[in-house]
Amino acid sequence: MTAMSTNEAPDRSDWREAGRGWGAQATDWAYLFEPYARPANDLLLDRLGVGAGTRLLDVACGSGLAANAAARRGATVSGLDAASALIDIAMARTPEADFRVGDMFDLPFTDRSFDVVTSFNGIWNGCDGALVEARRVLTESGRLGLTYWGAYERMGLLPYFGAVIQHSPASHQAATTRLGDTSAVAEAMLTAAGFELTDRGTVEVVNEWPDVDTAVRALASAGPSIPAIHAIGRDAFCQALRDIVAPWHDPRLGVRVSSEFGWVTARPC
Ligand SMILES: C[S@@+](CC[C@H](N)C(=O)[O-])C[C@H]1O[C@@H](n2cnc3c(N)ncnc32)[C@H](O)[C@@H]1O
């Protein structure tokens, strides 16, 4: 695998389609999947000095767990995502925040209006225009933070992405080949968008599910699963997922899958 799928690697032309995919099983994604990224959320918010009064925008905010963590630190939070069903959950989690449904390639915010812009696995290789938009809405002394998938050899979910690629239509497979290498191109993308890299590292994230059925349900809710489900049907795709997940199950621990995220921080230059 060299990349993710179209739904996980939005481009300007299909953000509504991406939003429909990611929103198709919104509560499953929000409650069964999204919490795995919490260590990455906390690490990046720490590194970016997010606290009382920070004006923060989370791009491709999903169901708003990271945005909620920022709000709990006292930040004034905005968030944007293509999936209206995920934004509904984000608004329920953090009613005081300003959440919008929209396109990260055309942010509906004014120039220099944020101290911090984050995106947790939302801006990938090929999404350079979203970084240009992030640069536009940041103050001159602002900070940017991104996460993305890390090394394949430490990516426990790699077999899942393999199943997505195997069962997705060719159009989605083609997009998939572009997006898994964000780590390799992150610095060049940042430079091209007018940023200077300030720090980078990796962080372990762990998916935890009590049983195989819950793990399959969670994996089937992620945006990249949707084209595969449309192609071969939900039952067949879930069976493929079950075949992958079943060997991971430990009767004492349930299903625990560890993966690596990469992260970067940057400032405008
Ligand atoms: C991997 S999920 C990450 C969600 C969230 N940041 C998290 O950490 O759970 C990718 C998100 O990007 C959103 N997305 C895809 N294309 C988009 C676009 N063009 N503009 C805004 N959001 C987009 C999807 O709806 C989805 O919520």
Side-chain angles (χ1 to χ4, degrees):
M1 187 193 76
T2 55
M4 308 308 168
S5 84
T6 305
N7 273 357
E8 204 170 17
D11 67 34
R12 186 167 189 144
S13 61
D14 70 354
W15 72 272
R16 288 189 176 82
E17 183 197 344
R20 280 191 293 275
W22 279 101
Q25 305 291 332
T27 51
D28 282 0
W29 166 262
Y31 305 142
L32 301 181
F33 211 135
E34 191 186 25
Y36 84 122
R38 195 56 188 267
N41 302 153
D42 290 339
L43 182 147
L44 207 55
L45 296 176
D46 284 346
R47 295 278 177 159
L48 294 166
V50 174
T54 305
R55 295 169 298 169
L56 178 142
L57 171 65
D58 191 28
V59 173
C61 65
S63 34
L65 199 64
N68 183 265
R72 287 177 187 276
R73 293 167 180 241
T76 301
V77 170
S78 298
L80 174 129
D81 198 275
S84 62
L86 296 180
I87 287 292
D88 287 345
I89 295 169
M91 291 169 69
R93 282 172 160 166
T94 316
E96 70 274 22
D98 173 15
F99 288 109
R100 315 260 183 107
V101 177
D103 183 8
M104 66 185 181
F105 295 93
D106 187 17
L107 293 176
F109 301 101
T110 55
D111 296 359
R112 295 182 290 281
S113 50
F114 295 101
D115 306 306
V116 168
V117 173
T118 52
S119 190
F120 296 94
N121 285 32
I123 297 179
W124 301 86
N125 180 10
C127 298
D128 306 54
L131 285 182
V132 173
E133 279 291 88
R135 172 74 180 82
R136 179 181 65 75
V137 302
L138 268 177
T139 63
E140 287 306 314
S141 59
R143 289 96 71 197
L144 175 80
L146 306 176
T147 69
Y148 39 79
W149 289 106
Y152 292 144
E153 57 269 28
R154 288 184 289 283
M155 188 179 189
L157 288 181
L158 193 62
Y160 158 72
F161 286 108
V164 165
I165 291 169
Q166 181 184 347
H167 297 297
S168 293
S171 54
H172 287 262
Q173 291 172 356
T176 295
T177 60
R178 200 180 69 234
L179 300 166
D181 301 322
T182 307
S183 175
V185 300
E187 188 163 359
M189 287 175 67
L190 290 167
T191 302
F195 287 101
E196 176 187 9
L197 188 141
T198 49
D199 204 358
R200 69 186 305 166
T202 60
V203 57
E204 182 188 24
V205 295
V206 184
N207 293 96
E208 298 178 308
W209 296 298
D211 50 54
V212 172
D213 285 346
T214 309
V216 168
R217 188 174 154 190
L219 289 166
S221 76
S225 296
I226 306 307
I229 289 171
H230 288 163
I232 66 167
R234 185 176 176 84
D235 288 351
F237 187 65
C238 286
Q239 185 56 51
L241 295 180
R242 184 173 297 279
D243 292 343
I244 290 168
V245 170
W248 298 343
H249 182 252
D250 180 325
R252 296 170 305 123
L253 302 176
V255 178
R256 301 187 82 252
V257 193
S258 169
S259 297
E260 181 182 271
F261 277 6
W263 59 268
V264 288
T265 58
R267 63 178 171 225
C269 60

